[in-house]
Amino acid sequence: MEFTDVVQESSEVFEVSEPDEVRKTLLIYEDVSAEDTTNLFILLVIYNTDISELLIYYFPQDLYIQDDFGEIYVSIGNLTYAGNTFMYGSEHAYVLDQISTQTALDFDSYVWIKPDLAKLFFSSETGWGREKDEVLSIFSGFTLPRLVNTYYQADIVSASLYSNLSFMDIYRYFNKIDSVISSDRHEFIDLGQEDFTRKEQLDARGEVDVLNLEKFDNSIQQNYGVISSRDLAREQVKVEVYNATEVPLYARKMARRINNLGCNIVRYENTSYEYEKDYIYIPNREEYSVALGKVKQVIEDPVIKEKRPDFLTTADIVVVLGEE
């Protein structure tokens, strides 16, 4: 929008539209009824600002994940408690890292709602059920009337809201998400459903539902229209990843992260060729510039070659993971 001062004969341009991007936010909501620190649920919100569509993944309290550090199973409900046990004083970083590892995604922002804030803005009861509409009602909680009526309790907000966003940024973000939900341009996926879990027998806890990472990745692929920006989708890039190290499953791990950023992985495997550094081969750099930027989010400080590698490949971008 351009605003013109007719007296001073000057004008200024303001950018009011969202950039062409996909924003990923993690929302952790603690249980207001629990005596100990317990997460009621976690939401992963993927917001495509260009097409105003949402992909929302719901991690229920009783869903288990396999801890990336100790190879143990931890429920979403007990994830913060486990973080305080394993990384005392850094439990929030622990939770964010575990969900990032599970989903092979990095988050642009996070919002952590503690019980005192939950009671103030959202619910004085035990919390929501598991139904979609009940869970998504969290985004209508930050309303202007509630802000006005609770201004004198700013100390509760300060002590009970953890985020890398300011309070007003959270307020605007929640309102924006609520608007997209109201327009029915969203998909809500319950990761506790049978389609996204596998059964695991634990000693004292019996049989539990554990997040199936392959099923999650399949869901991401089926929703490339949301997780890919317009420019990235236009490139229709194909990527291959090769492991030139002795680290087991390294190609698979890095391929997951590249794939879940919206780049189509067509192959990942080990290679007998020796590489000291990480290499990215991209014969047509200008044609796949957006995809290259995504790959470089995962592969830090690579050697970039604007040609094909010496061995046979067919992809538009080839990643070789080196020993260093």
Side-chain angles (χ1 to χ4, degrees):
M1 297 181 66
E2 182 176 359
F3 293 85
T4 302
D5 184 336
V6 294
V7 177
Q8 299 294 330
E9 296 183 349
S10 62
S11 62
E12 188 171 358
V13 175
F14 292 87
E15 188 70 43
V16 296
S17 63
E18 293 272 10
D20 178 20
E21 66 176 6
V22 179
R23 178 175 176 180
K24 295 177 285 293
T25 301
L26 201 65
L27 191 150
I28 300 94
Y29 184 90
E30 292 188 7
D31 192 343
V32 300
S33 64
E35 294 182 2
D36 298 322
T37 301
T38 305
N39 302 320
L40 185 62
F41 60 79
I42 293 178
L43 294 180
L44 168 58
V45 182
I46 302 176
Y47 175 31
N48 189 314
T49 62
D50 181 51
I51 59 177
S52 292
E53 288 191 9
L54 294 171
L55 184 60
I56 302 173
Y57 287 102
Y58 170 68
F59 294 76
Q61 188 178 43
D62 57 354
L63 175 67
Y64 278 71
I65 62 172
Q66 190 169 8
D67 172 86
D68 188 45
F69 295 155
E71 297 185 351
I72 63 174
Y73 293 96
V74 184
S75 70
I76 293 298
N78 289 326
L79 199 56
T80 304
Y81 181 84
N84 194 40
T85 301
F86 301 143
M87 298 174 60
Y88 181 72
S90 301
E91 65 273 17
H92 304 100
Y94 171 85
V95 172
L96 296 175
D97 182 73
Q98 290 302 313
I99 300 299
S100 175
T101 299
Q102 295 295 313
T103 61
L105 291 169
D106 293 321
F107 312 120
D108 305 293
S109 53
Y110 66 91
V111 179
W112 198 304
I113 299 173
K114 295 285 186 177
D116 286 345
L117 183 71
K119 294 174 184 177
L120 188 62
F121 278 100
F122 304 107
S123 174
S124 59
E125 302 172 355
T126 58
W128 295 284
R130 192 163 178 163
E131 295 300 320
K132 167 186 170 182
D133 291 341
E134 292 176 323
V135 173
L136 294 184
S137 66
I138 190 173
F139 293 105
S140 59
F142 278 118
T143 62
L144 189 57
R146 285 188 179 180
L147 284 176
V148 172
N149 291 333
T150 57
Y151 75 92
Y152 61 92
Q153 295 176 291
D155 57 325
I156 294 179
V157 175
S158 177
S160 304
L161 180 63
Y162 295 175
S163 179
N164 61 339
L165 303 173
S166 70
F167 183 83
M168 289 310 299
D169 283 339
I170 295 172
Y171 170 73
R172 285 189 287 265
Y173 172 74
F174 271 49
N175 276 268
K176 197 171 295 182
I177 297 301
D178 186 50
S179 176
V180 177
I181 291 172
S182 299
S183 65
D184 204 27
R185 297 180 62 84
H186 69 282
E187 183 172 358
F188 179 86
I189 298 175
D190 183 348
L191 293 177
Q193 292 181 337
E194 185 177 351
D195 291 345
F196 292 95
T197 61
R198 57 183 174 84
K199 297 293 184 181
E200 191 72 31
Q201 187 70 35
L202 304 186
D203 293 339
R205 288 162 287 184
E207 191 175 67
V208 299
D209 291 326
V210 180
L211 178 62
N212 187 318
L213 302 187
E214 183 179 354
K215 296 295 181 63
F216 176 83
D217 291 349
N218 290 340
S219 174
I220 288 289
Q221 292 175 16
Q222 292 167 8
N223 288 281
Y224 267 167
V226 179
I227 70 167
S228 299
S229 67
R230 176 178 51 192
D231 291 337
L232 180 60
R234 188 183 298 120
E235 290 183 352
Q236 297 184 334
V237 69
K238 295 181 176 63
V239 181
E240 295 178 7
V241 181
Y242 294 90
N243 180 12
T245 78
E246 295 182 357
V247 180
L249 303 177
Y250 193 26
R252 177 182 181 274
K253 178 180 179 180
M254 304 307 279
R256 275 195 76 208
R257 301 196 79 88
I258 296 171
N259 180 81
N260 289 2
L261 281 173
C263 300
N264 182 23
I265 297 291
V266 295
R267 180 181 299 156
Y268 63 86
E269 58 186 43
N270 295 332
T271 178
S272 58
Y273 292 86
E274 295 183 1
Y275 287 79
E276 290 187 3
K277 299 180 179 294
D278 294 336
Y279 279 77
I280 295 179
Y281 292 89
I282 177 168
N284 302 306
R285 183 167 182 165
E286 292 184 1
E287 188 174 349
Y288 300 104
S289 60
V290 177
L292 176 61
K294 293 293 183 182
V295 174
K296 287 174 66 178
Q297 290 181 23
V298 178
I299 312 299
E300 297 182 4
D301 195 26
V303 177
I304 298 178
K305 296 287 187 179
E306 296 187 37
K307 63 175 185 177
R308 292 201 169 277
D310 295 334
F311 54 93
L312 181 62
T313 60
T314 58
D316 307 305
I317 298 177
V318 177
V319 177
V320 182
L321 305 170
E323 286 289 350
E324 291 187 2

